[in-house]
Amino acid sequence: MSDTLDFTITLDEQPLPAAERERVLADPGWGQNFTDHMITIRYSADEGWHDARLEPYGPIPMDPASQVLHYSQELFEGLKAYRQPDGSIVTFRPFSNAARMNRSARRMAMPEIPEQLFVDAIETLVRVDKDWVPTKEGYSLYLRPFMFATTRALGVNQPANEFLFMVIASPSGNYYARGIKPVSVWLSRDFTRAAPGGTGEAKTGGNYAASFAGQAQAVANGCDQVVWLDAIEHSLVEEVGSMNLFFVYGSGPDARLLTPALTGTLLPGITRDSMLKLAPDLGVPVEEGPITIEEWQAGCESGEITEVFGCGTAAVISPVGHVKGSDREWKVGDGGSGELSMRLREELIGIQYGTRPDPYGWVHKIA
Ligand SMILES: *Cc1c(COP(=O)(O)O)cnc(C)c1O
């Protein structure tokens, strides 16, 4: 099978008028507005990947017996397209998203997609919908590739043999338009996101379905997001909401970072991976290893832990200011946004928006 396909292009005859598009781009919110077009590519066991299309954005016909609707055989990715100072458009490490999607696919018994085809699909959509990539500072076009089983069958003993891969795109505003506000987090002991041998390291919708009750509990307890703990002892810290976590020990020239290791129950974030490379180059050592909630609390109370932040594509870096559980509560640092968290955030954003050099080759030019 070749590594890519020719896309059949069908343009929307009635795209959103420019004035209306500009109104959306002025205040796009997050994940509520979508561009004029979408990508679809079909897979069948007989033909492999075929029938690649760019079409007007719209509903997709589905058979009610499609396997995804019953057994959740689905996976997704998330990345952004960024406007550069010269008007060109780039994405950030798209081949890393392609590789992760294929790791998720292996876990979910779904077909892998050639990495080049994945990236070509994104580029085809962004080139046609390039006017949807915001020019405002801190804004971007969020790209959502996803894949699901369309096989028409309720039997679970036969592997699904038909799948649909799609890409849609959603303009997104500055996550912190009103200034960076540290989040408060809830320690969930009633719910687990992922267990050993489960699907925690796959980016699959089912992990999110399993997380909503925990998130609702966090909100009911006055917190913004939920901290996921290990499934067995409910003691090791794994992730916060849909972000990976970093702990800052010490400060100034003595600062160092700790992030939970990828044990199989954590999602291997591309932002996390970027921090592992960026921080040491800024003179901040990083260690991957375990941390319990007791160590987190004691570290904050003794002043040894000075900052904590979550990181992911959507928010980039999100400082954690306050931690709460059913039997305990504490503040991180002074409860505000830490100095190193903000510095790492600036560095990464600078690379993504082309205002800082990219020594890593992370930025991928599209248009
Ligand atoms: C997507 C995701 C992340 C962050 O990954 P990035 O590649 O950095 O965006 C972290 N945790 C979970 C559960 C996720 O789904």
Side-chain angles (χ1 to χ4, degrees):
M1 189 178 63
S2 88
D3 272 359
T4 192
L5 296 169
D6 288 329
F7 286 80
T8 304
I9 308 279
T10 309
L11 294 180
D12 191 343
E13 287 172 4
Q14 291 177 304
L16 199 68
E20 277 179 55
R21 185 183 63 235
E22 291 309 319
R23 203 168 328 132
V24 171
L25 292 183
D27 187 17
W30 205 87
Q32 297 150 34
N33 296 287
F34 298 93
T35 64
D36 295 317
H37 298 93
M38 63 185 190
I39 297 285
T40 59
I41 312 178
R42 299 201 167 265
Y43 177 92
S44 69
D46 293 342
E47 290 181 79
W49 291 105
H50 64 283
D51 197 13
R53 293 171 186 272
L54 175 131
E55 300 175 317
Y57 182 97
I60 43 174
M62 274 185 90
D63 192 291
S66 296
Q67 281 203 349
V68 64
L69 298 178
H70 305 272
Y71 308 125
S72 299
Q73 203 178 9
E74 188 268 1
L75 46 82
F76 68 94
E77 272 302 325
L79 67 165
K80 288 170 168 176
Y82 306 89
R83 185 75 69 176
Q84 304 293 284
D86 66 359
S88 64
I89 299 166
V90 306
T91 52
F92 185 72
R93 304 185 66 183
F95 285 95
S96 298
N97 291 93
R100 183 171 66 188
M101 185 160 207
N102 285 336
R103 288 200 302 277
S104 299
R106 290 196 285 276
R107 176 63 183 85
M108 300 302 290
M110 294 169 74
E112 294 181 43
I113 186 164
E115 290 184 9
Q116 191 63 53
L117 179 56
F118 176 98
V119 175
D120 285 351
I122 285 168
E123 292 190 0
T124 302
L125 181 60
V126 175
R127 282 210 193 99
V128 171
D129 283 339
K130 61 181 183 313
D131 291 342
W132 284 92
V133 181
T135 51
K136 258 172 114 167
E137 191 188 336
Y139 287 35
S140 58
L141 183 65
Y142 182 79
L143 303 166
R144 171 54 64 88
F146 58 111
M147 194 210 299
F148 52 89
T150 52
T151 308
R152 180 177 182 271
L154 298 182
V156 288
N157 294 328
Q158 291 288 320
N161 54 21
E162 288 178 11
F163 295 86
L164 184 59
F165 169 87
M166 299 186 66
V167 188
I168 55 176
S170 174
S172 65
N174 190 341
Y175 207 85
Y176 289 109
R178 282 157 210 91
I180 307 240
K181 189 178 156 287
V183 293
S184 56
V185 297
W186 172 254
L187 301 169
S188 180
R189 297 196 193 232
D190 295 335
F191 301 108
T192 357
R193 191 191 81 90
T199 57
E201 65 186 345
K203 214 165 168 72
T204 180
N207 291 340
Y208 278 72
S211 78
F212 294 147
Q215 172 63 23
Q217 201 181 50
V219 171
N221 282 282
C223 293
D224 300 309
Q225 298 202 13
V226 55
V227 175
W228 299 112
L229 303 171
D230 78 276
I232 296 162
E233 305 288 345
H234 298 294
S235 163
L236 290 170
V237 182
E238 299 202 324
E239 297 197 58
V240 60
S242 52
M243 294 187 286
N244 295 117
L245 268 171
F246 280 82
F247 298 82
V248 182
Y249 288 78
S251 59
D254 298 327
R256 60 190 173 84
L257 288 166
L258 171 72
T259 189
L262 300 177
T263 54
T265 49
L266 280 74
L267 197 289
I270 291 164
T271 317
R272 174 188 183 280
D273 188 67
S274 304
M275 287 298 143
L276 292 180
K277 298 196 174 64
L278 205 56
D281 287 352
L282 296 173
V284 183
V286 192
E287 187 191 332
E288 295 177 82
I291 176 168
T292 63
I293 48 176
E294 285 74 23
E295 288 165 340
W296 183 358
Q297 179 174 12
C300 287
E301 287 172 355
S302 73
E304 202 194 350
I305 295 176
T306 52
E307 306 175 30
V308 176
F309 63 85
C311 70
T313 297
V316 192
I317 279 183
S318 197
V320 175
H322 201 92
V323 190
K324 196 172 160 187
S326 51
D327 57 351
R328 59 186 77 206
E329 197 170 339
W330 71 91
K331 208 158 72 170
V332 180
D334 61 4
S337 313
E339 191 186 310
L340 182 61
S341 311
M342 290 304 97
R343 178 157 167 236
L344 290 168
R345 182 185 158 80
E346 288 306 312
E347 290 286 341
L348 187 60
I349 290 177
I351 294 173
Q352 291 168 335
Y353 285 90
T355 57
R356 267 166 219 243
D358 168 26
Y360 311 100
W362 284 340
V363 157
H364 178 85
K365 190 153 186 151
I366 292 191

